[in-house]
Amino acid sequence: PGFLGALARLAVSGVPVETGWLFRGRDAVDAGTSPRPKRPGWTVDGHLLRTADGTIPAGALRPAEQISLGSSPAEQPTSEAMVADFLRTSREMIAAQRDVLLGFLGSSEAPTVVVPERPKVALVASDAPKAALGASDAPKATLGRSVLETVVAVIGERTGYPVEMIEPDLDLEADLSVDSIKRAEIAGELAARLGLTGGDVEEFAKARTAAAIADLVGTPQQPEAGTSVLETVVAVIGERTGYPVDMIEPDLDLEADLSVDSIKRAEIAGELTVRLGTGDVEELAKARTAAGIAELLGTSHDEPRPVAAEPEPVVIAPKRYVLTEVELAPAGTPDIAGRRFLVLGSGTFAEDVRGELETHGAEAETAEEVRPGFDGYLFLDPVLPTAFPRYQDALAAHPRWLLSAGPAEGLRGFHRSVAREYPETLTRVVEGADAAGLVAELSTPDREPVVIRRGTTRHGIQPTEQDLGPLATNGAGPAGDGVAEAAAIGLDRESVVLLVGGAKGITARFARTLAATARCRIELLGRTALAAEDEYPQAKDAKELRAALIATDLRNPAEIERAVRRITGEREVRTTLAELEALGSPVRYQSVDILDAEAVHRAVKEIHAEHGRLDGIVYAAGVIEDKLVADKTAESFTRVYSTKADGARTLLEATADLPDEPKFVVLFGSIAAALGNRGQTDYAAANDALETLGRRWPAGRAVTVHWGPWAPAAGGMVTAELMRDYARRGIALIDPEEGALGLLRELAWGRAGTAAVVHTASGW
Ligand SMILES: NC(=O)c1ccc[n+]([C@@H]2O[C@H](COP(=O)([O-])OP(=O)(O)OC[C@H]3O[C@@H](n4cnc5c(N)ncnc54)[C@H](OP(=O)(O)O)[C@@H]3O)[C@@H](O)[C@H]2O)c1
């Protein structure tokens, strides 16, 4: 007060006083010049909503009215009419609450609520028969599913409501907010699934309930006579990709030219087996071209098979696991007499290993390169990703043993994944073993892919469930979710958090939680370069973008796909920036490739110099290019591996130069590193490497969080197709809200020494 008083005295005595800098960096607005807040256009008084002039908007809840009981018995309403009134008002109330909730959640499709008219027929008692799924009144079964079930399933997929909530007689518009556009989509999807033709689709879109749609559908037809198998294949590919059928040449490579990945191919294959009532989904999904699929279908003589109902994805809060060592049974004497081994390495250790193998009666050679013809390969000093081609050669021989002497960056995740792809090979990384210990690992009955040896004792690693204590489990205070955690981490509005790969996907979701709970300054890095503005604002989604691009005469599908990816990527970044700002966090995005060391060093230095601090770092850049070892190129392996490992290393070096340590560092890893995954040797190795790098980070807390799959509502690597695939495999997905809060709790209440944890809704 003394200081401000002095300034005031100076000002009134005529000294020009510059006060602007007092407010710099603070959340202050100039009341004199900033626009006056508008008078609210409506009021809410606890349960009712009115516009400024007191009118109740259409569809809003009306105040309770007294029901006149009348004076004569003839005027008394029947109990049925009273129940009907009660149900009508309850229904209005639920509809109003639903709209408030949708509005709060930011649904882009604010539904126009059509309050159903008061039923003309008096409501019947609760024992009245209800149309139930699978009931005998839904006889038009199509390939194992009744038409009504298919209708309900499609509505469920499109609205997100669980199927058991979609009663056949619910009004789609009033009760489920399915507007006419969404109904048209549902109708289109049904037509596709049930093999129906054009004119009908419009009729279905007009129907107001699932039961009415099912009635209209009647018995599904087979594809029109005269339509060739190839035409049907092309039509389905067109529907699933958005390409006009005349652009889908039969010999176009589905993956390379149309970006139809293996999961989408499986969906197309599934759709075709339903429409044509024949074919093997797995076989069809392997075909690379429309012509290839048509050929397989043409030669398929399978009987039509019932199609299993699509399981609903399960989206739940993740559990937390710590990777802990467990003691394993001692190794026995290896039974390797007469077996041939190639020891990959040189020097004394290689000679010792060779000698040890020979002591057990095996034949052994040392070499630098892999040759076929051996029962086992022992890699002595492998360094990923350079060693990948040699591993690939060794695995091509389907050896009985494939051992690596570790520890080395990424080898745990790599071997866990190899074990899943080559179940007949005993594959493992052995850490801390001398020559005798390494050779002893050829004997053991267990198939642990990671073994840590201390003398003759052996340890494996197991994810063990461990919660973070009562504060994390029961909540840490009366403030909103995560606020106490942000404070416990030491984050406030002055703090600066850098998120690499944070403008998109699950990291952007976490950034939103940071903004909502700490309103800290957020610095984002990613590769996407932002154009000044959206080139196709009228095209809402990828399908519409494709159409818009095709309309500009772009005819090359690969180019179109690139453009679609670029534009949707830019949109995602813009949305993140807008949302973080709206939540109160100052935010900046910079396009920086994490593999460009110079640019990364420059960006980190500038961020620190500008704010004088860097409180937290989230490293989440990553790419996936899933393929089995046998099909993967060395370049692809290196790309996937380096984005994580080299990127994290560069960031570590860049931040190590800063004068102060960040409060926390989080590296986004993957459950693939902790459990291994088919097709992800590179990605699993890369995420495992993060653990090693994280341990070197000077920070109050540095932790690698191996995530299980997140629900695609958060964006990110789990696409809608992948989600359906997980649902079929019974793998639950992380609820985005819970996932982000879980990470905040991890940082707030986790032990500083815990270098790696798994947060997942499911194992596999
Ligand atoms: N989603 C999940 O369920 C899940 C599960 C386990 C682990 N994770 C991990 O979580 C992280 C985020 O994944 P996500 O699912 O949200 O995927 P995502 O949306 O694809 O995010 C990946 C991010 O990394 C950035 N990136 C990639 N290469 C980069 C490079 N060279 N330089 C700078 N930035 C780069 C991307 O930016 P650009 O697009 O601009 O290049 C993007 O922002 C990843 O590390 C992933 O491994 C995710």
Side-chain angles (χ1 to χ4, degrees):
F3 175 61
L4 292 179
L7 288 182
R9 273 200 293 280
L10 284 172
V12 292
S13 60
V15 178
V17 178
E18 265 297 331
T19 55
W21 61 271
L22 280 175
F23 302 100
R24 203 170 306 146
R26 295 178 176 229
D27 186 25
V29 287
D30 181 348
T33 54
S34 59
R36 288 159 67 102
K38 277 203 301 189
R39 269 173 64 82
W42 42 268
T43 56
V44 183
D45 70 358
H47 81 293
L48 289 178
L49 180 146
R50 290 186 174 84
T51 56
D53 63 2
T55 335
I56 295 172
L61 186 63
R62 311 201 141 263
E65 288 163 25
Q66 195 167 359
I67 302 176
S68 156
L69 290 180
S71 46
S72 71
E75 287 174 67
Q76 302 259 337
T78 59
S79 58
E80 283 163 357
M82 279 166 49
V83 171
D85 245 340
F86 168 73
L87 287 174
R88 181 183 59 77
T89 44
S90 306
R91 203 173 163 100
E92 285 175 18
M93 194 169 75
I94 296 293
Q97 287 176 348
R98 180 203 56 202
D99 293 347
V100 170
L101 196 62
L102 284 175
F104 173 71
L105 295 174
S107 160
S108 54
E109 295 163 38
T112 352
V113 179
V114 179
V115 179
E117 282 185 16
R118 184 182 166 137
K120 305 216 166 45
V121 189
L123 276 177
V124 284
S126 60
D127 57 359
K130 264 198 221 157
L133 291 191
S136 56
D137 63 343
K140 301 130 191 159
T142 76
L143 300 167
R145 238 186 194 191
S146 80
V147 171
L148 180 58
E149 278 173 325
T150 310
V151 172
V152 168
V154 171
I155 295 173
E157 280 163 29
R158 295 286 169 156
T159 57
Y161 286 100
V163 285
E164 56 286 1
M165 272 179 69
I166 305 169
E167 297 221 357
D169 291 314
L170 274 188
D171 187 299
L172 292 176
E173 182 143 357
D175 296 322
L176 294 178
S177 298
V178 180
D179 60 16
S180 56
I181 299 171
K182 211 172 231 163
R183 283 211 303 283
E185 268 183 25
I186 290 174
E189 174 79 1
L190 277 168
R193 289 213 193 163
L194 300 170
L196 306 162
T197 46
D200 304 331
V201 178
E202 276 170 34
E203 283 309 305
F204 305 154
K206 288 184 201 151
R208 308 277 310 185
T209 66
I213 299 179
D215 272 343
L216 281 172
V217 171
T219 314
Q221 302 140 26
Q222 290 302 310
E224 273 175 61
T227 309
S228 75
V229 172
L230 180 59
E231 276 167 338
T232 312
V233 173
V234 168
V236 171
I237 295 174
E239 282 158 21
R240 294 280 167 164
T241 57
Y243 282 106
V245 284
D246 58 334
M247 276 181 71
I248 305 169
E249 305 248 347
D251 292 323
L252 271 189
D253 187 298
L254 292 175
E255 181 147 352
D257 297 323
L258 294 176
S259 296
V260 179
D261 61 18
S262 56
I263 294 163
K264 205 172 234 158
R265 284 207 303 280
E267 290 211 331
I268 290 173
E271 175 80 48
L272 282 165
T273 55
V274 175
R275 281 208 202 174
L276 301 171
T278 184
D280 178 326
V281 175
E282 268 191 30
E283 280 305 307
L284 293 177
K286 286 187 201 149
R288 309 280 310 183
T289 62
I293 299 178
E295 199 179 308
L296 282 172
L297 281 165
T299 54
S300 165
H301 302 294
D302 290 356
E303 286 298 307
R305 265 176 294 171
V307 177
E310 281 279 327
E312 286 291 317
V314 178
V315 177
I316 50 175
K319 287 191 176 146
R320 173 182 188 268
Y321 301 80
V322 175
L323 298 170
T324 40
E325 281 191 18
V326 287
E327 195 162 338
L328 302 172
T333 312
D335 179 14
I336 51 172
R339 300 288 190 175
R340 300 190 67 224
F341 288 90
L342 191 63
V343 179
L344 291 143
S346 55
T348 327
F349 188 43
E351 287 310 317
D352 288 352
V353 172
R354 188 166 63 88
E356 187 69 24
L357 287 163
E358 286 171 354
T359 317
H360 288 88
E363 286 177 38
E365 292 176 38
T366 58
E368 291 300 327
E369 291 306 323
V370 171
R371 279 178 282 126
F374 292 87
D375 299 298
Y377 295 88
L378 278 70
F379 285 73
L380 297 193
D381 50 1
V383 176
L384 289 174
T386 4
F388 173 70
R390 289 192 295 152
Y391 277 117
Q392 197 175 30
D393 289 345
L395 285 163
H398 289 275
R400 182 144 170 208
W401 292 277
L402 179 97
L403 257 52
S404 300
E409 215 184 86
L411 284 187
R412 291 181 178 184
F414 179 75
H415 281 275
R416 287 175 181 134
S417 300
V418 171
R420 286 183 181 257
E421 278 186 38
Y422 293 84
E424 73 287 4
T425 298
L426 175 74
T427 176
R428 82 172 29 133
V429 50
V430 185
E431 298 181 1
D434 57 10
L438 184 64
V439 172
E441 287 299 327
L442 297 167
S443 75
T444 51
D446 63 64
R447 302 188 73 82
E448 285 294 321
V450 176
V451 171
I452 303 157
R453 287 185 69 102
R454 293 194 192 92
T456 52
T457 61
R458 308 172 64 236
H459 293 84
I461 295 178
Q462 242 177 35
T464 315
E465 192 178 341
Q466 230 175 66
D467 67 28
L468 285 162
L471 278 179
T473 315
N474 306 327
D481 273 345
V483 173
E485 279 78 3
I489 299 166
L491 290 179
D492 59 25
R493 307 189 59 181
E494 305 299 321
S495 311
V496 180
V497 180
L498 165 66
L499 299 101
V500 180
K504 289 182 170 177
I506 67 170
T507 325
R509 185 66 196 71
F510 180 60
R512 284 199 275 281
T513 300
L514 283 177
T517 53
R519 297 174 76 190
C520 52
R521 173 172 283 280
I522 291 180
E523 295 278 353
L524 304 172
L525 302 187
R527 271 178 315 182
T528 300
L530 272 192
E533 55 188 36
D534 197 332
E535 298 150 67
Y536 297 91
Q538 72 289 1
K540 283 199 301 297
D541 53 21
K543 255 188 185 169
E544 290 188 18
L545 267 176
R546 254 173 228 133
L549 289 159
I550 289 165
T552 63
D553 279 352
L554 210 53
R555 304 298 287 174
N556 177 335
E559 261 176 55
I560 296 172
E561 284 311 304
R562 265 197 303 278
V564 168
R565 273 198 299 277
R566 176 178 58 74
I567 297 167
T568 47
E570 289 175 21
R571 284 180 179 181
E572 190 176 354
V573 175
R574 280 197 202 95
T575 307
T576 303
L577 297 179
E579 287 180 357
L580 293 178
E581 256 166 29
L583 287 165
S585 273
V587 54
R588 176 171 53 178
Y589 173 76
Q590 297 184 62
S591 169
V592 171
D593 187 335
I594 196 68
L595 297 174
D596 179 347
E598 211 182 303
V600 174
H601 278 262
R602 196 169 45 240
V604 169
K605 224 185 204 158
E606 277 172 15
I607 290 168
H608 192 278
E610 189 170 332
H611 310 298
R613 60 195 289 173
L614 183 51
D615 300 86
I617 295 174
V618 178
Y619 185 67
V623 291
I624 45 174
E625 297 182 19
D626 299 357
K627 280 224 157 58
L628 297 174
V629 167
D631 305 328
K632 186 166 267 303
T633 64
E635 294 72 37
S636 171
F637 190 101
T638 303
R639 234 179 349 257
V640 173
Y641 187 86
S642 301
T643 303
K644 289 246 166 185
D646 294 347
R649 210 184 326 272
T650 302
L651 191 62
L652 167 63
E653 285 160 8
T655 51
D657 292 344
L658 299 179
D660 37 27
E661 285 179 9
K663 294 189 175 80
F664 70 85
V665 171
V666 188
L667 303 162
F668 274 24
S670 162
I671 192 169
L675 301 184
N677 197 13
R678 268 173 71 79
Q680 290 198 324
T681 41
D682 44 8
Y683 183 69
N687 285 295
D688 177 35
L690 291 181
E691 270 186 44
T692 314
L693 291 160
R695 283 176 215 275
R696 292 192 207 141
W697 222 297
R701 175 133 172 66
V703 62
T704 299
V705 177
H706 291 304
W707 295 111
W710 285 50
M717 290 173 177
V718 179
T719 56
E721 288 87 5
L722 196 50
M723 173 183 74
R724 287 194 280 275
D725 186 52
Y726 283 138
R728 276 178 228 122
R729 289 159 56 194
I731 295 170
L733 304 172
I734 295 177
D735 176 298
E737 173 81 13
E738 296 287 350
L741 283 172
L743 177 53
L744 218 51
R745 288 187 204 114
E746 182 69 52
L747 295 173
W749 318 126
R751 288 208 351 250
T754 308
V757 286
V758 177
H759 282 224
T760 187
S762 200
W764 44 53

